[in-house]
Amino acid sequence: MKRFLLLLSLSLILCGASRAENIIIGEKTPDLSINKWLMDIQPTQTEYTCILFYHSESELCRRSLNRIKEMVMKNPNLNLIIMTKEKYGDAGVALTEHLEDRIGVAFDDNGRTFRYFGVKFIPFCVIRDKKERAKWCGNALTLNDKILDKISSKR
């Protein structure tokens, strides 16, 4: 009986772990699970995409969004997807002001994208190329122009 319980608990743990994918630089990132885009506006395609995992009640998220938005506006090869698990009505009003040609807000109501990317903290950020390969990931507050220049120069 102990052996059966051990195997059962091990299999449950492994099943849960198989859904969460780690981000490995240079490897393909998990698929995005998007329920809806704010105002049906998707960012235009660029060489690189910055995915910011976000919650509107977090001061750190708001600060990182403003910094990353500035970087996106200066860099025509970068777009931004603001990924949130919040409900459309809750976050939509606050995030509408950030919509631009290269900035969109995606709603992950069921939290799949957060799980697939293994997001443990916010603001978390992933930069990937057109082929969806990870180029950088980490705390969004640490992303800066120097890191973006380094990513761009490694094409």
Side-chain angles (χ1 to χ4, degrees):
M1 184 67 172
K2 286 182 184 179
R3 184 179 225 168
F4 173 74
L5 290 175
L6 179 65
L7 288 173
L8 178 64
S9 55
L10 183 61
S11 66
L12 289 174
I13 290 169
L14 291 176
C15 286
S18 67
R19 286 190 211 132
E21 297 182 38
N22 292 324
I23 304 300
I24 300 171
I25 303 302
E27 298 291 320
K28 187 176 180 321
T29 58
D31 292 331
L32 301 178
S33 176
I34 298 171
N35 300 86
K36 186 168 181 63
W37 289 93
L38 181 60
M39 298 178 68
D40 294 322
I41 297 173
Q42 294 184 33
T44 56
Q45 286 293 321
T46 56
E47 187 68 30
Y48 299 99
T49 297
C50 176
I51 304 165
L52 174 62
F53 293 88
Y54 183 89
H55 195 283
S56 61
E57 291 182 9
S58 166
E59 176 60 31
L60 296 176
C61 285
R62 289 192 299 270
R63 273 196 298 167
S64 64
L65 173 57
N66 289 328
R67 288 182 60 220
I68 292 172
K69 184 177 177 182
E70 285 177 23
M71 288 183 243
V72 168
M73 300 315 284
K74 289 190 292 188
N75 188 339
N77 292 322
L78 181 67
N79 69 18
L80 172 62
I81 296 173
I82 305 164
M83 182 68 63
T84 183
K85 291 193 291 186
E86 296 175 83
K87 299 293 180 208
Y88 191 93
D90 297 338
V93 174
L95 292 171
T96 302
E97 70 179 275
H98 298 288
L99 294 176
E100 300 279 344
D101 285 343
R102 290 182 287 121
I103 300 175
V105 178
F107 291 88
D108 177 25
D109 296 340
N110 53 24
R112 283 188 186 140
T113 302
F114 276 71
R115 282 193 309 275
Y116 295 162
F117 276 76
V119 176
K120 303 284 188 249
F121 62 88
I122 54 171
F124 183 72
C125 181
V126 175
I127 296 181
R128 65 186 191 174
D129 64 13
K130 279 184 181 179
K131 295 180 181 176
E132 299 181 357
R133 294 176 302 208
K135 295 297 179 183
W136 184 88
C137 67
N139 186 326
L141 290 170
T142 64
L143 182 62
N144 57 39
D145 290 324
K146 190 175 181 179
I147 292 170
L148 285 177
D149 291 343
K150 196 177 213 180
I151 291 168
S152 298
S153 68
K154 289 185 177 181
R155 285 188 207 188

